[in-house]
Amino acid sequence: MTRPAVFSAALAVAVAAAVALPGGSAAAAAGSAAPPPADRYSVTVVGKAPDGGMSPVRSTTCSDDPRSRTLARAAAGTVLLMEWFEHAHNKPSSLTRVHGEAGDCDGDGYRLRATGFWANRISGFNAYSKCNVATGYDLVNLSGDRQTWRMDKPCKCLLQGWVGSYMNDRIESFWIRQG
């Protein structure tokens, strides 16, 4: 099945789930977001993780245009935490921006799942908002093989255009934090 056909089928399931729910949220039904195929862009908003848990996904919004008003509205009142790249250095462009509704990273940070389209497809990322330490895991709940990246720059950010051969296309979860 081609990528557009897979995306169409996944979209149909998500829409059906959203319609069937009283609140109308497919992301809430799944407990995580299914980001878009490679030729689209998305904004995912997450909350602060409960003790020992993962950061809950509050919403995921998609667009064909990375500068769309729809994506800007979805990110309003949040901080940009991460950008995930399907290909090293985001070439060609395929991007999800993860925003936090609880502000900048602190020592506890955010714990994120890379599910759906993004599971085992991340080749690079950037982290912002004082998230200068990131650990990527090859299993969905911060377990399995892992690698940690750290950057001590005045921006309090982490620019990792390529994750390296060890974790390339293996990441299923992240713990991002201030270090």
Side-chain angles (χ1 to χ4, degrees):
M1 192 181 287
T2 66
R3 186 176 289 182
V6 169
F7 178 68
S8 295
L11 182 60
V13 170
V15 169
V19 170
L21 290 173
S25 172
S32 63
D39 58 346
R40 293 177 50 100
Y41 302 89
S42 73
V43 166
T44 296
V45 177
V46 297
K48 193 72 167 169
D51 287 341
M54 301 299 288
S55 296
V57 174
R58 303 293 192 210
S59 66
T60 297
T61 305
C62 303
S63 175
D64 290 329
D65 179 2
R67 294 171 297 279
S68 78
R69 286 187 217 163
T70 303
L71 294 179
R73 279 192 300 271
T78 65
V79 297
L80 176 60
L81 300 173
M82 290 190 90
E83 296 175 321
W84 296 344
F85 310 144
E86 181 184 10
H87 305 289
H89 308 289
N90 200 29
K91 297 192 187 314
S93 183
S94 174
L95 178 70
T96 280
R97 288 189 169 111
V98 180
H99 288 253
E101 65 180 16
D104 292 346
C105 276
D106 55 18
D108 292 332
Y110 290 84
R111 296 186 263 322
L112 311 170
R113 288 185 180 104
T115 59
F117 174 81
W118 285 105
N120 300 308
R121 286 195 181 196
I122 295 172
S123 292
F125 66 87
N126 291 331
Y128 305 99
S129 302
K130 300 182 182 177
C131 304
N132 67 322
V133 178
T135 302
Y137 298 83
D138 76 332
L139 298 176
V140 77
N141 291 317
L142 305 181
S143 59
D145 293 340
R146 67 179 176 250
Q147 182 172 347
T148 299
W149 301 269
R150 176 187 196 100
M151 186 174 280
D152 295 310
K153 297 267 185 193
C155 66
K156 295 281 186 198
C157 60
L158 175 59
L159 307 176
Q160 194 67 41
W162 187 53
V163 298
S165 60
Y166 181 63
M167 291 303 284
N168 186 48
D169 293 338
R170 294 183 65 210
I171 295 171
E172 291 191 9
S173 56
F174 279 106
W175 175 30
I176 57 172
R177 60 212 177 269
Q178 183 177 6

